[in-house]
Amino acid sequence: MPARYVTVDRETPMLLPPDLREWVPGISRTLRDPTAIGELDVRMARVNEQGSGSEQYPPAMMLGLLIYSDATGVFGSRRIEQTTHENVAVRLLCGDTHPDHDTICSFGGRIGSC
């Protein structure tokens, strides 16, 4: 009698998108909560008040990214940038945006983490 395997179909798209919030660990949920990071003083982050140049990432989101990365053992701006593409929790935390390593390092350098 031949072996029986479960049929794995990777070609059929999901009918409804899954709610990614159910897939992520608790710390990511905590950091996405506006009150969690909102309690921290992010005024030290330099922001271009003139509105010139490229759009900026919100300081609270960048701080949440650095806290989550540090808590999960991901160090270095290039590796953190890579997780914004690969890690579901980080993608959700960043709202599916991808700050580049220069932006991450310059933000982290201003708060002493890069």
Side-chain angles (χ1 to χ4, degrees):
M1 181 170 209
R4 295 178 16 186
Y5 295 102
V6 173
T7 303
V8 177
D9 183 9
R10 294 184 182 100
E11 302 303 317
T12 303
M14 292 184 189
L15 296 177
L16 297 173
D19 186 355
L20 295 180
R21 293 174 291 192
E22 295 174 2
W23 290 9
V24 298
I27 188 171
S28 177
R29 278 188 244 129
T30 302
L31 292 173
R32 279 186 297 110
D33 182 6
T35 58
I37 297 293
E39 296 294 318
L40 300 174
D41 185 11
V42 292
R43 289 179 292 163
M44 68 191 151
R46 283 183 271 150
V47 177
N48 181 357
E49 299 290 345
Q50 298 173 349
S52 58
S54 300
E55 290 182 317
Q56 304 171 81
Y57 293 98
M61 187 272 299
M62 294 295 291
L63 184 58
L65 173 61
L66 291 177
I67 291 171
Y68 183 81
S69 297
D70 190 53
T72 56
V74 177
F75 305 106
S77 58
R78 291 179 191 271
R79 181 69 185 119
I80 295 171
E81 177 186 4
Q82 186 178 7
T83 63
T84 67
H85 294 277
E86 298 173 349
N87 186 312
V88 173
V90 175
R91 288 184 81 147
L92 189 58
L93 183 64
C94 294
D96 206 21
T97 60
H98 310 284
D100 67 355
H101 63 276
D102 260 350
T103 303
I104 294 167
C105 190
S106 67
F107 182 83
R110 287 191 294 257
I111 61 171
S113 75
C114 188

